[in-house]
Amino acid sequence: MSNSIPVKRIAIFGSTGSIGTQALEVIEQNSDKFSVEVLTCNNNESLLIEQALKFQPNIVVVTNTGKYAVVKEALKNTDTKVFAGEKALEEVASLDIYDLMLAAIVGYAGLKPTLNAVKAGKTVALANKETLVVAGDIVMRTAYEKRVPIIPVDSEHSAIFQCLVGEVRNPIEKIILTASGGPFFGKKPNFLVNVKRDHALQHPNWNMGAKISVDSATLMNKGLEMIEARWLFNLQPDQIEVLVHQQSIIHSMVQFQDGSIKAQMGLPDMRLPIQYALAFPKRIPNDFPRTDFKKIRNLTFEEPDVRTFRNLALAMEALNKGGNLPCILNAANEIAVYAFLRNRIGFLDMTDVIEETMQRVSFLQNPTLDDYLESDAEARLFASDLIKL
Ligand code: NAD
Ligand code: MG
């Protein structure tokens, strides 16, 4: 179609995850527009190898160094270079071999590679919300200085981003982040106390990685998204509202100073915000299922129950106080979620671990990057100790 447009070279950090694999589907359907230059994973070497043989990237990185030999061997007859380890992950992010990084690693592990991409002047399509929760001020300031676009992939933030196209000079009055409510919407603590891993991994509207699925069940995900939105769109905490909308058709809304509200809608399908971020500013055609309002009929809206889902209240506290508190919240949450996934603690225990860690790790109002790294380590240690990991 558009032969004159050069192929965009994509680096997918976290290519074996839910976002990473869906991004590769989008790229496969649009091989005239995108090429795959970098693929990375933590542990799933067999899927990484399969992806590398199919998409023939320039470089693959496996963070777990124990998997290097098997990946190297499997790709020995190809032109793909193989690296392993955390340092390699960070260094490859700085290389001038790609145009856009899809930041699709889960958790704090995504921070350094993503920050390196920004420093190297690379456009970032950001799924890895924890990066902005931990060090949003530093990441966004660096992006501003380097004139690097950060294009959200998270569906809510993609919705807001899309609503803001053409509104550069019009201030936002507030944004309304919609939440599906997760698998335990309407439940009370006497139910939640018995919830187990497999139950929490069943999300009604989205099929996602394990960590974000648990975060959606506790509503921590929405709290992380409030903090993510604060940095992406340069908002004050009181400009960010959360509204439960169980159908996940309205992906979020922006209210302007005249009271007018814009919403972005569609079926819940992450390929849509992924594709939008990769192709921005263009929209490209696809054959994904279309929304049929006659079938949906009702769109409902409710207040989130922050008394039951206290993780959301804790995230709001971190958002309001700022400093290193969101970083501490995030670290404690990562530890708590992984302990819950290994059946080491209960569903409601996660909240106690996060709350106590937030109270105990020293608060810093204006942290440097090193302060964030130290707060993260300190919070992890404290939370692990509480759980006796
Ligand atoms: P996932 O668990 O399915 O995949 C995570 C990816 O990161 C994998 O490729 C894994 O190999 C890699 N990884 C994990 N730990 C790592 C480490 N320590 N070092 C290097 N790489 C590591 O997760 P996901 O659901 O695809 O989510 C990825 C990110 O996107 C998360 O931040 C999540 O919040 C965000 N997100 C996901 C969805 C979704 O629908 N899945 C929606 C919105 C936002
Ligand atoms: Mg989201």
Side-chain angles (χ1 to χ4, degrees):
M1 250 186 353
S2 39
N3 297 331
S4 54
I5 297 174
V7 168
K8 229 185 247 182
R9 299 169 303 166
I10 312 291
I12 306 184
F13 278 61
S15 65
T16 55
S18 159
I19 294 289
T21 51
Q22 294 183 82
L24 285 171
E25 270 181 56
V26 169
I27 291 173
E28 194 179 0
Q29 293 299 314
N30 296 280
S31 51
D32 56 328
K33 300 183 183 66
F34 307 113
S35 72
V36 177
E37 295 302 319
V38 180
L39 295 174
T40 86
C41 83
N42 191 32
N43 263 323
N44 190 348
E45 81 283 5
S46 52
L47 183 55
L48 184 73
I49 291 165
E50 191 184 304
Q51 293 177 339
L53 291 171
K54 182 163 178 185
F55 291 95
Q56 302 175 331
N58 185 339
I59 291 178
V60 298
V61 184
V62 51
T63 311
N64 181 342
T65 49
K67 309 272 172 128
Y68 173 78
V70 43
V71 179
K72 179 79 188 158
E73 172 65 21
L75 301 181
K76 70 177 179 202
N77 294 325
T78 71
D79 293 331
T80 301
K81 297 184 260 316
V82 181
F83 299 105
E86 245 172 69
K87 271 274 160 293
L89 193 70
E90 290 164 27
E91 284 168 17
V92 168
S94 304
L95 296 179
D96 197 17
I97 55 165
Y98 68 95
D99 303 309
L100 177 147
M101 171 192 279
L102 174 63
I105 288 176
V106 60
Y108 173 86
L111 171 62
K112 284 184 189 168
T114 306
L115 192 53
N116 279 355
V118 175
K119 284 181 182 159
K122 303 299 179 186
T123 300
V124 173
L126 187 84
N128 177 223
K129 63 191 82 183
E130 294 90 348
T131 281
L132 290 186
V133 174
V134 173
D137 54 343
I138 291 174
V139 175
M140 293 310 288
R141 197 188 319 130
T142 312
Y144 182 79
E145 284 165 9
K146 297 278 179 186
R147 306 207 174 286
V148 161
I150 309 264
I151 308 162
V153 170
D154 212 348
S155 58
E156 297 77 2
H157 306 75
S158 175
I160 292 162
F161 188 88
Q162 293 181 54
C163 291
L164 291 175
V165 170
E167 304 279 3
V168 224
R169 288 192 180 76
N170 294 324
I172 296 170
E173 190 164 86
K174 71 171 183 182
I175 62 165
I176 301 160
L177 284 180
T178 51
S180 70
F184 307 132
F185 176 73
K187 301 293 191 220
K188 294 292 169 200
N190 61 354
F191 175 91
L192 295 174
V193 72
N194 294 316
V195 160
K196 291 284 178 284
R197 171 185 198 276
D198 292 342
H199 201 177
L201 290 180
Q202 304 299 320
H203 194 277
N205 302 346
W206 305 94
N207 187 2
M208 310 175 287
K211 195 252 173 186
I212 185 176
S213 296
V214 175
D215 284 344
S216 300
T218 62
L219 295 201
M220 177 57 92
N221 184 49
K222 212 47 58 181
L224 300 179
E225 291 185 351
M226 292 177 84
I227 302 170
E228 179 186 15
R230 182 234 186 288
W231 296 119
L232 276 174
F233 307 113
N234 194 19
L235 300 169
Q236 294 305 311
D238 64 2
Q239 290 176 290
I240 307 168
E241 197 176 296
V242 171
L243 191 63
V244 175
H245 162 52
Q246 284 194 276
Q247 299 78 20
S248 296
I249 295 296
I250 297 183
H251 298 309
S252 278
M253 306 184 245
V254 179
Q255 180 172 313
F256 295 95
Q257 286 182 319
D258 57 357
S260 184
I261 297 169
K262 276 183 166 181
Q264 186 268 338
M265 296 183 244
L267 292 175
D269 182 341
M270 281 310 292
R271 292 174 304 175
L272 215 55
I274 292 169
Q275 173 181 304
Y276 185 81
L278 295 184
F280 180 78
K282 279 184 80 77
R283 290 185 185 273
I284 48 185
N286 61 38
D287 58 4
F288 305 161
R290 299 309 198 229
T291 316
D292 179 354
F293 284 102
K294 293 186 292 301
K295 284 198 186 121
I296 297 161
R297 300 178 66 93
N298 290 307
L299 299 180
T300 59
F301 305 100
E302 276 147 290
E303 289 264 346
D305 178 1
V306 293
R307 280 167 174 276
T308 302
F309 296 91
R310 286 177 50 235
N311 278 6
L312 180 55
L314 291 174
M316 286 172 171
E317 184 192 336
L319 169 70
N320 285 319
K321 290 198 180 146
N324 63 345
L325 204 55
C327 169
I328 296 167
L329 167 101
N330 177 71
N333 182 56
E334 287 191 25
I335 296 292
V337 169
Y338 286 110
F340 172 74
L341 284 171
R342 276 181 276 140
N343 296 315
R344 295 292 302 272
I345 60 174
F347 190 83
L348 295 175
D349 299 333
M350 289 191 275
T351 308
D352 297 337
V353 170
I354 299 161
E355 186 169 38
E356 207 170 326
T357 309
M358 285 171 72
Q359 286 163 358
R360 294 291 293 281
V361 176
S362 1
F363 179 73
L364 301 169
Q365 189 66 69
N366 292 304
T368 62
L369 184 60
D370 283 338
D371 291 332
Y372 283 129
L373 306 187
E374 277 171 33
S375 301
D376 173 82
E378 202 184 323
R380 274 168 205 275
L381 209 64
F382 187 84
S384 306
D385 225 40
L386 279 178
I387 302 167
K388 307 211 181 349
L389 282 179

